[in-house]
Structure formats: structure tokens, C-alpha cells
Amino acid sequence: MNKILVTGGIGYIGSHTVVALIEQNSEVVIVDNLSNSHLFILDRIEQISDVRPKYYNMDVCNAAQMDELFATEKDIAGVIHFAAYKAVGESVAEPLKYYHNNIGGLVTLLQAMKKYDIKNFVFSSSCSVYGNATQLPVDENCPLQPAESPYGNTKRICEEILVDTTKTGSANVIALRYFNPIGAHESGLIGELPIGQPSNLIPVITQTAAGLRDKITVFGNDYNTPDGTCIRDYIHVVDLADAHVAAVARLIEEKQLQKYELYNLGTGEGVSVKQAIDTFEAATGVKANHYYGPRRDGDVVQIWADCTKANKELGWKTKISLEDAMISAWKWQEEGVRGKE
Ligand code: NAD
Ligand code: WQD
């Protein structure tokens, strides 16, 4: 049984990955400082998996805590590093908070791993590094654009740090560039629940449908796209979690072709904001009031992924439809999250 350390394992993508790892018989150790998550998610992980993973309330930026962690938890076979801040707008207002946590956390963690000779590392990157992509679909060779936000910049800098680190031989890395993660576990017990007001499309849709918001503002319908609204690649979080299981297995089984590997994770399908809202309404039978408002600053017009590399090398592909993603997000909103907001 491989022991996997998951930083940010109480968060949205982390919790689904913890469940997927347990399903595949890994022993999971979680580190999370609850800066953007809630401890009840640990109970929910246990409810789904019948296993309560070991949990440390520690900060990945705290070198003494990271040292204590690796001194205590021997034989860690791989680390999956989700812990970071992710609110794009907040990163513009408070860039240093983002540079400190996202870059400082990565460096501190890598230093501790080096000391304890733990090499296998999976990193959460983002399609935000592509900006307004010069080709569609976007593959991993597409040139990167200057980041639109300090948040996006942290992901780009972290990738560069990881490239340099692998060159020294002290780490084997798989960086995963997620497109837009959505949906929730089919049980409805875990899902996306950031602290504060969510600004991502799917939580805005489900909160509106639930009556917690008046309406959805669709940010612009005058773009040069078929229906005038922006296009994204929405990937179900459970499919995303499975890719992490595949990535960490690839590292442990020493199947890497290079010490630093990079994969896009999306569905390969572009979906407009209008299509997303229509799909939600059709799949759930629930109305999501919306109107067309002005464009949002910094929005990419359209982006979707070419995931051929991940399909081939990780032996992974997405399985869950957009309809099922909407149904699961709704179940989470209606059942999982009730009383916890
Ligand atoms: P999330 O906020 O739900 O999860 C992150 C978790 O990390 C939270 O539980 C938070 O409490 C914890 N954390 C943050 N800083 C920490 C620290 N210093 N020490 C310990 N724990 C800390 O976010 P998520 O959506 O699950 O995203 C996970 C990762 O994926 C992040 O790195 C994010 O940037 C990246 N990512 C997310 C998306 C997305 O749209 N959700 C897209 C691309 C990339
Ligand atoms: C999706 C689409 C909006 C809300 C962000 C980060 C990115 C990555 C994923 C972490 C866009 C439209 C949204 C609303 C709307 N995260 N929209 N009304 O901006 O693609 O990506 O999350 O790495 O880095 O930037 O996601 O969910 O905010 O928006 O019309 O109320 O929905 O304009 O076209 P985005 P999103």
C-alpha cells in the first residue's frame, strides 16, 4: 500500500482525489490549514470511503511544520500538492498574499522533501498559463502568455521552479494543467465550498437555482463565438481526481519519460456559458435565472484542451458528461452543502 501525502486534501479537488486514492488502496495523509475549506469534509471523506485519512492541520509555508511532518510520516511514496490560494480577483488586490502562499508553500515543501529524500511530486497547475491561447484546442506546446493575474503568474513561476528542481535530480515531477473543474462526488457528500462568495460559473448557477442569488450575470454575449458567450472546457472533478491517481502511479512505477512532465487535463470540448446554463436547466429541470451583462475584465474569450498527451501517457480519459456534472453539482448544492454554507 503506497502512502501518499495530499496537501490541500480537505479542499475541492483535493478531497475528491483523496477519495479516489483510497479507492485505489493508497494510504492517504492530508495536510491542510483550512484556510479555504471546512473540517467536516474529513467526516464526509470517511463516510464515502469507510477510511478516515490521517490529517495534519499544518501550513505548507511553515518549514518547522513540514520538517515535523516528514519526520513523523515515514515512507511517503509521493506527494500531491494542491495547497494554494486560487481566487483570481483577490490575487489582484493582494498579490503578496498569493506569492507568499503559492510560491513560498511550494519552495518550503520541496525543501523538506529534499531533506527527507522524497522525490515524487504532482503539482496543480492551471490552464490560466495559456491566457488567450494562440491555437485551439490548446496542447502543452502552445506558447504561454503573460499571466492575467498574480494568481496565474504564481502557477507559471511554480512550473519554472519545478523545471529547475528536476534538473538537479532532487525531484520527479508531473505538473497538471487543469481546465475548468466542476461538479461534485456522486454521493453529494463532497463538492466545492470555498470560504466566501464563489465567483466561478457553476457555483453561481447552482446558488441562483437554489434561490441564494437573484440571477446569474452572463459576462458578455458579444464575443466572437457561435452564441456570443465565452467558451471553456469544463472537466468533472472526479475525472480530474482520477488523473492524479494515474499521475502519482506513473511516478511511483518509474514510468516517466522525463523527470519533468506536463499534462493538460480537460475534456477536449469547448462549452459556452449559454450552453452551460442550458445544460444545467435541461439536466436538472430547475430554472437558473440569467441575464446578459457586460464583459468581465481579464476573461479569456475561448479555450479548450487538447488532452491527447494525457490520454496516451497517463492512460487516462474523462468519463463523466457535462449533464452528469451539472446533476452532481446540483445534488451537492441541495443536499451536501445544506446548513454548511
Ligand atoms: P481549494 O481552495 O478548494 O483547495 C485548496 C486547499 O488548500 C484548501 O483546503 C486550503 O485550506 C488549503 N491550503 C491553502 N493554502 C494552504 C497552506 N499554506 N497550507 C496548507 N493548506 C493550505 O482549491 P481547489 O479548487 O481544490 O484547487 C486545488 C489546487 O488546484 C490549487 O493549487 C489551485 O490553484 C489549483 N487549480 C484549481 C482550479 C479550480 O478552478 N478549482 C483550476 C486550476 C488549478
Ligand atoms: C467561466 C466562464 C465567465 C461567472 C477561473 C480561473 C482559472 C481557473 C478556473 C484556477 C467565463 C463566465 C462566470 C458568472 C459568467 N482556476 N461567468 N458569470 O474564469 O474560466 O477560470 O477558474 O486555476 O485560473 O481564472 O472560470 O468559472 O469564473 O468562468 O458569465 O457569474 O463563465 O465569464 O466565461 P474562468 P469561471
Side-chain angles (χ1 to χ4, degrees):
M1 195 188 250
N2 289 314
K3 191 194 275 191
I4 311 295
L5 174 68
V6 181
T7 76
I10 307 284
Y12 175 43
I13 308 169
S15 57
H16 289 82
T17 301
V18 166
V19 166
L21 286 165
I22 295 171
E23 263 169 27
Q24 298 300 313
N25 270 329
S26 294
E27 179 187 347
V28 176
V29 175
I30 297 175
V31 166
D32 198 304
N33 67 356
L34 305 181
S35 55
N36 196 38
S37 53
H38 302 74
L39 195 53
F40 79 86
I41 291 294
L42 191 61
D43 303 330
R44 298 286 183 85
I45 290 171
E46 184 178 8
Q47 236 177 300
I48 297 170
S49 312
D50 280 335
V51 173
R52 190 173 185 86
K54 214 164 189 187
Y55 165 62
Y56 291 86
N57 186 336
M58 287 182 173
D59 185 334
V60 292
C61 298
N62 184 319
Q65 289 183 349
M66 289 305 99
D67 193 86
E68 186 192 330
L69 172 77
F70 288 110
T72 312
E73 290 297 336
K74 310 278 186 222
D75 304 322
I76 290 176
V79 176
I80 307 182
H81 180 46
F82 293 105
Y85 294 147
K86 64 165 181 176
V88 175
E90 186 188 52
S91 80
V92 176
E94 294 189 69
L96 296 180
K97 178 176 170 180
Y98 277 69
Y99 288 117
H100 174 75
N101 198 45
N102 295 8
I103 298 174
L106 174 74
V107 172
T108 306
L109 183 60
L110 289 172
Q111 282 172 328
M113 287 175 61
K114 185 174 177 209
K115 176 173 169 192
Y116 288 88
D117 197 26
I118 296 163
K119 290 201 160 102
N120 295 332
F121 192 77
V122 178
F123 177 68
S124 297
S125 191
S126 167
C127 70
S128 57
V129 297
Y130 294 117
N132 262 306
T134 50
Q135 67 180 62
L136 285 169
V138 181
D139 70 22
E140 292 81 355
N141 298 317
C142 187
L144 305 188
Q145 306 292 329
E148 284 283 348
S149 67
Y151 165 74
N153 206 27
T154 67
K155 292 297 173 188
R156 185 165 176 172
I157 294 168
C158 286
E159 285 192 7
E160 287 167 357
I161 290 170
L162 289 167
V163 170
D164 290 342
T165 307
T166 52
K167 284 182 190 156
T168 69
S170 73
N172 306 322
V173 173
I174 295 184
L176 302 173
R177 288 180 180 161
Y178 317 150
F179 282 64
N180 288 53
I182 62 163
H185 191 264
E186 61 179 359
S187 62
L189 288 168
I190 55 175
E192 185 170 15
L193 183 55
I195 290 176
Q197 273 280 57
S199 59
N200 290 114
L201 181 62
I202 305 315
V204 170
I205 294 177
T206 56
Q207 289 196 347
T208 307
L212 301 171
R213 293 177 183 235
D214 281 354
K215 54 185 175 305
I216 304 159
T217 305
V218 175
F219 298 135
N221 63 343
D222 57 352
Y223 285 102
N224 187 19
T225 59
D227 64 21
T229 66
C230 291
I231 295 178
R232 298 287 184 276
D233 185 336
Y234 297 97
I235 175 171
H236 195 287
V237 66
V238 170
D239 280 333
L240 196 56
D242 288 344
H244 291 76
V245 176
V248 81
R250 181 175 173 85
L251 291 167
I252 293 168
E253 291 161 18
E254 298 181 13
K255 289 189 176 153
Q256 276 193 302
L257 302 175
Q258 284 142 2
K259 297 278 180 207
Y260 179 84
E261 292 180 325
L262 179 64
Y263 297 99
N264 281 347
L265 298 178
T267 63
E269 300 282 332
V271 171
S272 75
V273 178
K274 185 173 184 315
Q275 283 173 318
I277 296 171
D278 289 348
T279 305
F280 174 85
E281 291 184 334
T284 62
V286 183
K287 194 100 195 82
N289 282 336
H290 58 280
Y291 85 105
Y292 295 104
R295 293 180 177 195
R296 178 172 72 175
D297 274 352
D299 256 339
V300 163
V301 181
Q302 50 184 344
I303 187 162
W304 62 94
D306 180 332
C307 299
T308 312
K309 189 169 176 237
N311 297 157
K312 275 196 194 142
E313 294 183 11
L314 295 180
W316 163 90
K317 62 179 175 21
T318 55
K319 296 182 188 138
I320 307 175
S321 67
L322 185 63
E323 287 74 13
D324 285 344
M326 295 299 184
I327 290 167
S328 68
W330 183 234
K331 184 169 183 181
W332 164 243
Q333 175 72 51
E334 281 294 89
E335 297 172 19
V337 108
R338 272 279 154 91
K340 302 287 189 186
E341 291 119 320

